[in-house]
Amino acid sequence: MRVWIDMTASAHVLVFRPLIKLMRERGDEVEITARDYAQTLQLLELHGLTAEVIGRHGGRSRFQKARQMTHRLGALKKWAKPRGFDVALAHGSHELTLTARRLGVPSSTTFDYEFATLQHQLGCRAATKVVVPDAIPPQRLVTYGVRPPKLVQYPGLKEEYYLSDFEPDRSLLDRFGVDPTRVLVVLRPPPDVSLYHRHSNPLFPMTLEHLGRLDDVHAFVLPRTDEQREYVRKLALPSVILPEVAVDAQSLIALADLVVSAGGTMNREAAALGVPVYTTYGGRLGGVDEALIREGRLKPLTDPRALDLRKRDGGPGADAVRRDPALMLELLLSAMSG
């Protein structure tokens, strides 16, 4: 079987890593395309995956987003057409599902945030199957043309699947000079180039300023873009650790005492690994985060002073939830049966 996977953001590398491993172990041919955005290419290299780099992110401008998408659609079609793929898989890459539809290749797309409206209007309608967590109410997807049997849902978090074989690299803390006596807080800025998060949220900068000046805290910041890295660097906060390249974020989260993130993936990784996590997300919460908040696995943050800053009891992975990635793969490949 010949499989095409398109990765357009950093999280996609993590989602597909164990699935690619499963497919290649059974003899399937897997080819990867990727967009040059955030740490996507660095993470591919970090995980030993090779991809054909096609296109880049369009930035904040809607015009530039549309221009880049048009260019990338043409380039993807030219690249994929002679390869004779049997199925195409994506995590929200509407460019993959649109191209696969034009080429007559069955496709599956998966995501766990249902309010990225423009992306889903394009990607879901073109896809053969749409695979999402069962925490997302099905009625929220009807507007994208998604109903059973096109709609397929799975239990739990996607992070519980791709982190099922995960063991943290404990040497990471020494490499970055983390003081084991301090409270380690991992911070992730908001996805401020995303269309679904366009309103400025002052809570994350406030939290960063608060934590970055505490003597008993090490605030490890994982920026999404070079612009965010420069912003944090110029603050020159004494308790902040700022890496220059992509790091093993999952190990960092597993070893942390606390996570504060304005995005979705890192929040859910922390929840899957049993690490206390607060969200500063300023947009509309999706069904997955709503469920995590109800379960007490995710806490909304409105004031940085409300953070429970203490060393975590128990070792890394003690409270992790693990699920079999083979189930996720089976659901995605169901596109081949219609």
Side-chain angles (χ1 to χ4, degrees):
M1 180 170 63
R2 292 184 51 76
V3 183
W4 171 25
I5 297 175
D6 187 40
M7 302 189 188
T8 57
S10 305
H12 304 176
V13 182
L14 309 173
V15 172
F16 283 113
R17 177 198 59 80
L19 308 185
I20 292 169
K21 182 173 183 286
L22 286 171
M23 287 186 284
R24 286 177 171 168
E25 284 176 347
R26 70 187 194 186
D28 296 331
E29 295 181 47
V30 182
E31 292 196 56
I32 304 167
T33 50
R35 179 179 63 171
D36 186 1
Y37 172 60
Q39 290 86 40
T40 306
L41 303 186
Q42 292 181 47
L43 285 170
L44 281 164
E45 183 178 357
L46 187 67
H47 289 284
L49 297 172
T50 302
E52 181 77 15
V53 181
I54 299 176
R56 56 184 176 84
H57 197 281
R60 297 174 184 270
S61 163
R62 290 177 182 268
F63 173 75
Q64 288 298 331
K65 283 179 184 286
R67 183 177 181 182
Q68 284 295 326
M69 185 180 77
T70 301
H71 170 75
R72 193 165 191 265
L73 283 171
L76 287 174
K77 183 181 179 184
K78 181 178 180 181
W79 177 87
K81 186 174 182 179
R83 283 172 163 78
F85 290 114
D86 298 300
V87 67
L89 309 177
H91 188 290
S93 170
H94 51 281
E95 292 158 344
L96 176 137
T97 57
L98 287 166
T99 303
R101 178 85 173 253
R102 293 169 70 189
L103 294 175
V105 177
S107 69
S108 284
T109 188
T110 181
F111 55 85
D112 51 11
Y113 181 69
E114 64 270 33
F115 297 122
T117 306
L118 178 59
Q119 180 187 78
H120 297 332
Q121 285 287 6
L122 296 170
C124 290
R125 293 184 184 280
T128 311
K129 293 287 186 180
V130 175
V131 181
V132 300
D134 59 11
I136 297 179
Q139 61 268 26
R140 293 184 183 177
L141 304 178
V142 172
T143 186
Y144 307 133
V146 179
R147 300 177 177 84
K150 175 181 249 187
L151 173 63
V152 180
Q153 293 188 278
Y154 60 85
L157 309 174
K158 74 178 189 296
E159 291 79 7
E160 294 167 350
Y161 293 87
Y162 72 71
L163 292 172
S164 63
D165 61 349
F166 174 74
E167 294 296 334
D169 177 5
R170 296 172 184 269
S171 69
L172 183 67
L173 302 187
D174 288 337
R175 294 203 302 272
F176 285 96
V178 176
D179 184 343
T181 66
R182 293 191 182 194
V183 176
L184 176 58
V185 184
V186 177
L187 297 109
R188 181 73 155 169
D192 59 3
V193 295
S194 297
L195 286 173
Y196 58 83
H197 198 278
R198 299 187 71 84
H199 302 293
S200 176
N201 179 4
L203 184 56
F204 186 86
M206 288 168 54
T207 304
L208 180 60
E209 287 269 5
H210 173 67
L211 294 174
R213 300 185 187 280
L214 297 177
D215 294 337
D216 58 347
V217 167
H218 258 154
F220 203 122
V221 183
L222 298 175
R224 296 170 184 269
T225 63
D226 291 338
E227 290 80 7
Q228 289 180 347
R229 181 174 284 103
E230 283 305 307
Y231 168 79
V232 175
R233 181 183 289 112
K234 288 177 180 178
L235 293 176
L237 296 167
S239 295
V240 164
I241 297 174
L242 182 66
E244 293 300 320
V245 295
V247 302
D248 180 357
Q250 292 71 48
S251 288
L252 193 59
I253 292 168
L255 298 167
D257 298 301
L258 188 70
V259 171
V260 181
S261 173
T265 297
M266 189 165 288
N267 288 343
R268 294 187 283 272
E269 286 178 340
L273 293 170
V275 179
V277 54
Y278 292 79
T279 179
T280 62
Y281 183 62
R284 183 177 180 183
L285 290 178
V288 172
D289 283 350
E290 290 172 342
L292 288 174
I293 290 171
R294 287 195 301 269
E295 296 165 5
R297 300 169 68 189
L298 176 66
K299 298 178 182 180
L301 184 66
T302 56
D303 186 337
R305 294 169 296 181
L307 290 169
D308 186 8
L309 298 173
R310 58 177 172 173
K311 298 296 293 182
R312 183 159 59 98
D313 297 329
D319 299 316
V321 179
R322 303 177 189 269
R323 298 180 188 266
D324 187 357
L327 170 62
M328 181 74 71
L329 180 60
E330 178 184 352
L331 297 180
L332 289 169
L333 293 180
S334 69
M336 297 180 66
S337 59

